[in-house]
Amino acid sequence: MPDPQQTGARQLFATGSTATVLCDGAMGSMLYGRGVFINRCYDELNVSQPDLVRAVHTEYLQAGAVVIETNTFGANRLRLARYGLEERTAELNIAGVKLARDCVRQMQEKHASQAFVAGAIGSLGTRTVAPAEAYQTYAEQIRALVGVDLLIAETLTSMTEAQQAILAARAELPGIPIVVMVTVDDAGNCLDGTTPEQAAALLTQWGADAVGCNCSEGPGIVLSVIERMRTATNLPLAAMPNAGMPKVVDGRSLYLTSPEYLASFAKKFVKAGATFVGGCCGTTPAHIRAVRGALRAIDAQVTGVAQAASEKRQSQIDPPPLAERSKIGALIASNTFCTMVEIVPPKGFDTTKEIDGAIELHKLGVDAINIPDSPRASARMSAMTLCIQIQQRVGIETVLHYTCRDRNLLSMQSDLLGASSIGLKNILCLTGDPPKMGTYPDATAVFDVDAIGLVKICRDLNHGLDIGGNSVGSSAGFTLSVAANPGVPDIDNEVRRFEAKVEAGGEFGITQPVFDLRLLEQFLDRIEAYRIPMVAGIWPLTSVKNAEFMRDQLKVSMPQQILDRMGRCPTPEHARAEGILIAQEMLAEVRARVQGVQVSAPFGKYKAAAQVLGFARG
């Protein structure tokens, strides 16, 4: 009977799997940082100082690694001979497996989370070894790695090493998957001159289960290599760069690539097709923890799409008709043009300005106030709290922006039940900006689900079901809206995600502010097959610097003619007037194709938003 753990490891390589596998980081540089001299044999520490190795494994598991590598990178006969330890090859490898397996077992017992042990196999440390000797060297090591869930052959310098490692693995541990990663020079080629495309094709032909690149000169070159490998293989890819080239400071080799920098590349690795992501020399549990945050956000988006496509759970409760759930729902259901203004919560306690603005907008006939949920991950008053104050003190309906960034599933259900109970019936389901964009970049993101999964949760609550499929007694009665950004570079992905949001239960859409109306028109054409009523986002610019900031920092498509118009304004007053005029012109152009408009109030300029809407209602 197959080992359940090893069967689970094989599933990591399954064709069509969408989950990203987080691996650990460096072992050697972690041990060095704990005072182990560089002239020591680090593999021998498995026997002489096991607690030191065990502590590193544990830190990586606590950081979120799903795969940890045994401390056996250099535990082959040729490398061990440098220390006179070649006759202890089997002993050191067996001890390495036991240490890692014990750490995984303890983590599973405490946290009931699954993790896997990878047997680490390094390069032979010489470029002159013959194929037969390379095979025998690897076979001896791999034979002693019995009990691992998978093998990782890494930092390989030649195709000879790679081929013999694969052959030895197939002979000594048949059925155990093997990841094979090469290291490259600054031109992106293996140290024997093989190109990434050639390496990927050969490794695929020889029977590797996944291929990739590790170490090298940091994340940038590794990204380039796996992008090239993807053109030559359909196998899962692995990306495990080092933390840049080390710098010698006071006699110590230090790696200066920050955890945040590596995390930013983790997203690029996944976009390039990587399944296995981790770190090499110089990376630490802090790096892996940062990468974990980035990967959770990505995987939440992927699983959200899958959740949207899953079969809807059965319930005896049907939500009220859309027209009866809220004023906004009634306007959307009757195809009546609706108007909304965005009011951002304050950074402190005082809501006087926001309440006064809502009163003024309500008198003008605005249909609803949109309340963002800590936009750009800024620390602000709870959006839900401001919604409650505005509805109770002003009497105008609100649309609550609700994000997945800050809350786990239990908190989401609690919030949503409370929102429905107190009369907040309009929910805009959002994934949320990552904390690193905001004022407290070290804050932890949750992302149990993304916007797609959140829509599904709200849809189920509308049918009287909680996140576990249990009855909550009645319908939440939410009017569900979803976001769309017609101006993103990857419009194909945006269209796919919007379709999934509609499938999950979205009832109308709200776009991000758009300045290039051609992009909005194209997006509306692309979603025609699953069209729901759309509300267009409008932003009245306040200055040419405001326009340039949105173009450069927020990556909003900004037509040159708008920049020119704003740039010609001689005074701030003229610029604000021109921004309002541009917004009015845009609204006039899109009105025939949308069911409403949401106008932002930049820097709390509610009168500017009112002027745009006054034109719209004229």
Side-chain angles (χ1 to χ4, degrees):
M1 180 177 294
D3 187 324
Q5 183 79 1
Q6 293 177 0
T7 301
R10 172 60 67 178
Q11 292 174 353
L12 300 177
F13 299 79
T15 301
S17 175
T18 56
T20 308
V21 180
L22 179 60
C23 301
D24 61 6
M27 173 61 77
S29 52
M30 286 289 290
L31 294 172
Y32 175 71
R34 282 164 165 75
V36 179
F37 291 125
I38 201 167
N39 60 348
R40 287 283 302 274
C41 175
Y42 282 21
D43 310 282
E44 189 272 339
L45 298 174
N46 293 336
V47 174
S48 63
Q49 293 183 261
D51 288 344
L52 202 59
V53 177
R54 188 180 291 111
V56 176
H57 285 323
T58 300
E59 285 189 40
Y60 279 122
L61 288 168
Q62 291 172 340
V66 175
V67 173
I68 61 169
E69 295 186 42
T70 56
N71 179 38
T72 56
F73 173 82
N76 63 68
R77 176 171 290 269
L78 292 179
R79 282 183 174 270
L80 291 175
R82 302 172 184 175
Y83 306 95
L85 299 173
E86 61 270 29
E87 299 306 320
R88 299 179 64 186
T89 298
E91 175 194 359
L92 299 182
N93 281 281
I94 291 170
V97 174
K98 183 178 185 303
L99 284 174
R101 177 61 67 199
D102 287 347
C103 291
V104 165
R105 185 178 298 111
Q106 290 173 9
M107 178 64 67
Q108 291 173 333
E109 289 173 354
K110 289 181 179 179
H111 302 286
S113 58
Q114 191 172 34
F116 302 92
V117 174
I121 306 166
S123 65
L124 299 177
T126 175
R127 299 188 188 183
T128 59
V129 64
E133 185 180 7
Y135 176 87
Q136 292 299 329
T137 302
Y138 279 130
E140 180 185 22
Q141 180 183 12
I142 292 170
R143 192 159 48 242
L145 291 173
V146 64
V148 299
D149 303 307
L150 66 153
L151 296 168
I152 295 182
E154 58 189 348
T155 326
L156 302 186
T157 60
S158 72
M159 289 299 98
T160 297
E161 285 185 337
Q163 183 179 30
Q164 299 311 312
I166 294 171
L167 291 173
R170 292 291 175 251
E172 300 298 335
L173 292 179
I176 299 298
I178 181 170
V179 179
V180 183
M181 295 185 290
V182 297
T183 189
V184 298
D185 57 25
D186 56 6
N189 296 322
C190 300
L191 302 190
D192 65 357
T194 308
T195 68
E197 294 86 351
Q198 292 168 336
L202 288 171
L203 295 174
T204 302
Q205 176 185 333
W206 293 335
D209 294 282
V211 302
C213 180
N214 78 300
C215 203
S216 307
E217 293 191 6
I221 191 69
V222 170
L223 175 61
S224 174
V225 170
I226 66 167
E227 287 175 337
R228 294 172 63 182
M229 283 184 160
R230 174 47 74 218
T231 66
T233 183
N234 290 322
L235 291 178
L237 295 177
M240 303 183 195
N242 63 24
M245 297 304 292
K247 306 293 183 183
V248 178
V249 179
D250 292 334
R252 294 167 66 97
S253 295
L254 301 179
Y255 292 83
L256 304 181
T257 293
S258 70
E260 293 75 21
Y261 183 72
L262 183 60
S264 70
F265 268 90
K267 295 181 179 180
K268 298 175 184 178
F269 294 150
V270 173
K271 188 172 183 180
T275 297
F276 297 88
V277 177
C280 196
C281 305
T283 58
T284 67
H287 288 83
I288 299 307
R289 188 174 293 107
V291 171
R292 174 176 177 258
L295 297 184
R296 288 189 70 180
I298 296 170
D299 286 343
Q301 294 180 0
V302 175
T303 55
V305 174
Q307 289 171 349
S310 64
E311 182 179 353
K312 295 180 177 63
R313 291 181 287 185
Q314 298 299 312
S315 170
Q316 301 299 318
I317 298 174
D318 290 323
L322 181 60
E324 298 177 11
R325 295 183 221 161
S326 66
K327 176 182 178 180
I328 291 297
L331 293 173
I332 293 295
S334 63
N335 198 28
T336 302
F337 196 86
C338 61
T339 57
M340 309 175 192
V341 172
E342 183 178 275
I343 292 182
V344 180
K347 294 182 178 180
F349 301 104
D350 188 3
T351 61
T352 302
K353 180 180 178 181
E354 290 72 26
I355 296 297
D356 289 346
I359 291 172
E360 182 178 357
L361 294 168
H362 186 32
K363 290 178 179 177
L364 290 170
V366 172
D367 295 314
I369 304 296
N370 271 13
I371 309 296
D373 186 1
S374 295
R376 293 187 58 76
S378 59
R380 293 178 178 273
M381 177 183 287
S382 157
M384 186 178 296
T385 299
L386 185 57
C387 281
I388 294 169
Q389 291 189 54
I390 288 176
Q391 287 200 174
Q392 291 182 347
R393 297 170 60 181
V394 181
I396 187 173
E397 227 173 58
T398 59
V399 178
L400 171 64
H401 295 205
Y402 193 83
T403 70
C404 307
R405 172 190 56 230
D406 315 304
R407 309 163 177 95
N408 64 19
L409 288 173
L410 296 176
S411 178
M412 288 180 186
Q413 177 166 303
S414 297
D415 282 351
L416 292 168
L417 289 172
S420 175
S421 174
I422 206 165
L424 303 183
K425 297 297 186 178
N426 302 304
I427 308 291
L428 173 59
C429 299
L430 300 166
T431 299
D433 298 318
K436 69 175 185 176
M437 293 177 59
T439 48
Y440 298 98
D442 292 332
T444 301
V446 181
F447 294 123
D448 275 357
V449 292
D450 73 337
I452 301 168
L454 177 58
V455 176
K456 182 178 181 293
I457 292 171
C458 292
R459 179 196 70 195
D460 286 348
L461 286 172
N462 271 358
H463 285 273
L465 298 174
D466 68 5
I467 56 175
N470 305 304
S471 173
V472 293
S474 61
S475 172
F478 291 134
T479 297
L480 299 178
S481 56
V482 296
N485 190 350
V488 294
D490 190 355
I491 192 62
D492 291 337
N493 182 61
E494 184 71 10
V495 169
R496 285 194 298 269
R497 286 182 53 76
F498 187 79
E499 181 180 8
K501 291 175 186 178
V502 175
E503 173 65 22
E507 294 168 311
F508 73 96
I510 302 176
T511 76
Q512 294 282 5
V514 178
F515 295 91
D516 189 342
L517 295 184
R518 175 182 52 88
L519 298 179
L520 177 59
E521 293 284 343
Q522 291 174 354
F523 180 79
L524 293 176
D525 290 340
R526 291 282 301 272
I527 65 170
E528 195 61 44
Y530 35 87
R531 177 72 179 270
I532 55 177
M534 296 297 296
V535 172
I538 300 289
W539 178 288
L541 295 166
T542 58
S543 66
V544 68
K545 288 186 178 181
N546 181 210
E548 290 170 344
F549 174 83
M550 299 192 76
R551 179 196 63 187
D552 299 335
Q553 301 300 319
L554 304 186
K555 307 305 179 185
V556 173
S557 180
M558 187 69 63
Q560 186 60 44
Q561 61 181 11
I562 290 181
L563 288 168
D564 292 341
R565 287 178 63 176
M566 296 302 296
R568 287 193 293 266
C569 297
T571 67
E573 291 74 17
H574 282 87
R576 287 192 289 269
E578 188 68 17
I580 291 170
L581 179 59
I582 291 171
Q584 291 173 336
E585 293 170 357
M586 295 173 61
L587 177 53
E589 288 192 47
V590 304
R591 181 164 183 167
R593 293 207 62 182
V594 296
Q595 284 68 52
V597 62
Q598 171 187 283
V599 181
S600 299
F603 313 111
K605 304 294 184 182
Y606 304 123
K607 290 184 178 179
Q611 285 180 269
V612 176
L613 290 174
F615 174 86
R617 302 179 72 84

